[in-house]
Every structure is written in C-alpha cells, then in structure tokens.
Amino acid sequence: MKNKFPILISEEQIKKRVAELGKKISSDYVNKLDKPLVVIGVLKGSFVFLADLVRSLEVSCEIEFIEVSSYGAGTSSSGRVKLKREPSLHLADRHVLIVEDIIDTGHTFEFLEDYFVGKHLASFRTCAFLDKPSRRQVEMKVDYSGFEIDDHFVVGYGLDLDGRYREISSVVIYQQS
Ligand code: 5GP
Ligand code: MG
C-alpha cells in the first residue's frame, strides 16, 4: 500500500477546493488579460497542485517554474532560503501568480516577494495550497489559499519528506514508524 499515514485532506476535498480556487482566480483575472498571466510554480512541492489548478482555470495562462530550498533534511525549516533555479520566461508586463505548496514560517514567500520586486510585473499575487498560520514568523498576505491546517507535518499531493511521499494523492499527516 502506498499510504500508511492518516489522511488529513482527502482527494475529494482537494478536488472540490481546487475547482473553487480555479473559479475564483479565473474571475479575478478575466478582465485583465490584455497582459498575459504567468502561473509560476515553486518547485518541487507545488507540482501536483499546479497541474490541477491550471486545468481548473477558465482563463489561459503560461506556466513557469522557480526553484528554492529552505528545508534541509527533516521536518523543520532552516529559515534560510536559497534560489536554485530562476524562471527563464521574460516576466516584465505580465501578471504573475506564484503557486506554493504550503506556507509555514513565511520565509520562502518573503524571499519570493523580494525576488520579484523590480521585475516590472503587471501584477503579483500569491496562491498556496496549504497554510499553517500558527507557525508564521513573517507577516505576509496570501491572496488565494486552499486549506488552513493546524501545526502538523504533512506529506502527499506534492509535499515530501526528504524527497519521499510526493506521489500520495491525498494530504496525510507524517508519523514516524
Ligand atoms: P516556510 O518558508 O514558509 O517556512 O516554508 C515553506 C516550505 O517549507 C514549503 O514550501 C515546504 O517545502 C516546506 N514545508 C513547510 N511545512 C511543511 C509540511 O508540513 N510538510 C512538508 N512536506 N513541507 C513543509
Ligand atoms: Mg516547498
């Protein structure tokens, strides 16, 4: 069996919420598309959410990636964010929607916001599949959030522990065996 952990958010719940987010995001951008929309996934954790989210959009978009790392091995954030891969698309004059897997302390989002300052974007918005508000160390505003969760370390639906468990279809609570 692929998943041995307790389910926090089921595939059905995810599907329903992603459809809602897709509708909301589409209606917010539909009248702004004189400039193109670029959806930028933060690798690697966002890849499953990003794939579902862009297919639920009713507006067209381009897709780009950025890669950062903040966690070393294990389940707690180091707080130091490193840029590992820059977007290759030209982003000036485009609407950018950043898509993250989860916001925990907020350091990664703060780093990303700083990265995009001065890039002459048409607009900048943020979307996170999961949000753990109780863990926040940096004040930040998420424009679109899938689910708020309590302070659990979760894996699945793209989220990993040391590279494992990304392929689980639901969000599950990691427990040491
Ligand atoms: P932050 O910089 O907000 O503390 O952390 C953001 C990153 O930490 C996320 O993109 C994710 O990679 C990782 N992270 C934070 N909480 C969790 C969690 O519960 N599970 C997993 N798998 N990764 C997490
Ligand atoms: Mg991540």
Side-chain angles (χ1 to χ4, degrees):
M1 200 178 71
K2 214 155 81 167
N3 173 37
K4 55 186 178 190
F5 301 121
I7 293 181
L8 182 66
I9 309 172
S10 69
E11 281 187 72
E12 290 70 33
Q13 287 172 288
I14 295 172
K15 209 171 162 186
K16 182 164 170 275
R17 185 68 186 126
V18 171
E20 288 169 4
L21 283 174
K23 271 215 159 54
K24 171 79 177 110
I25 293 170
S26 304
S27 72
D28 289 353
Y29 282 98
V30 71
N31 293 321
K32 296 184 181 161
L33 295 177
D34 47 322
K35 311 247 172 94
L37 169 64
V38 187
V39 180
I40 305 186
V42 183
L43 290 173
K44 297 174 187 162
S46 73
F47 82 104
V48 177
F49 177 48
L50 180 92
D52 284 344
L53 185 69
V54 293
R55 286 178 292 174
S56 79
L57 292 180
E58 292 152 14
V59 293
S60 52
C61 64
E62 292 174 72
I63 294 167
E64 182 53 91
F65 293 98
I66 186 168
E67 184 167 6
V68 296
S69 67
S70 58
Y71 274 41
T75 61
S76 68
S77 176
S78 69
R80 287 184 305 274
V81 183
K82 279 194 304 243
L83 182 63
K84 294 176 78 179
R85 178 196 189 274
E86 288 200 60
S88 51
L89 268 184
H90 185 70
L91 298 174
D93 239 14
R94 289 176 149 92
H95 297 290
V96 165
L97 177 66
I98 282 282
V99 175
E100 252 281 35
D101 52 359
I102 184 165
I103 302 175
D104 183 31
T105 62
H107 287 293
T108 306
F109 254 46
E110 184 182 49
F111 175 91
L112 290 167
E113 267 175 359
D114 291 347
Y115 173 84
F116 287 104
V117 163
K119 297 252 185 305
H120 306 286
L121 309 179
S123 69
F124 178 79
R125 285 191 183 180
T126 52
C127 175
F129 174 58
L130 300 175
D131 187 3
K132 282 198 260 190
S134 67
R135 297 256 313 157
R136 201 74 89 249
Q137 294 173 4
V138 179
E139 274 303 307
M140 53 152 304
K141 158 176 157 289
V142 199
D143 296 296
Y144 307 99
S145 134
F147 299 90
E148 286 195 359
I149 63 170
D150 292 336
D151 185 12
H152 305 291
F153 191 83
V154 293
V155 294
Y157 200 66
L159 289 100
D160 73 313
L161 173 64
D162 299 342
R164 296 183 64 196
Y165 311 121
R166 294 192 197 278
E167 72 286 5
I168 296 171
S169 308
S170 47
V171 175
V172 301
I173 299 177
Y174 172 76
Q175 288 176 341
Q176 225 157 0
S177 48

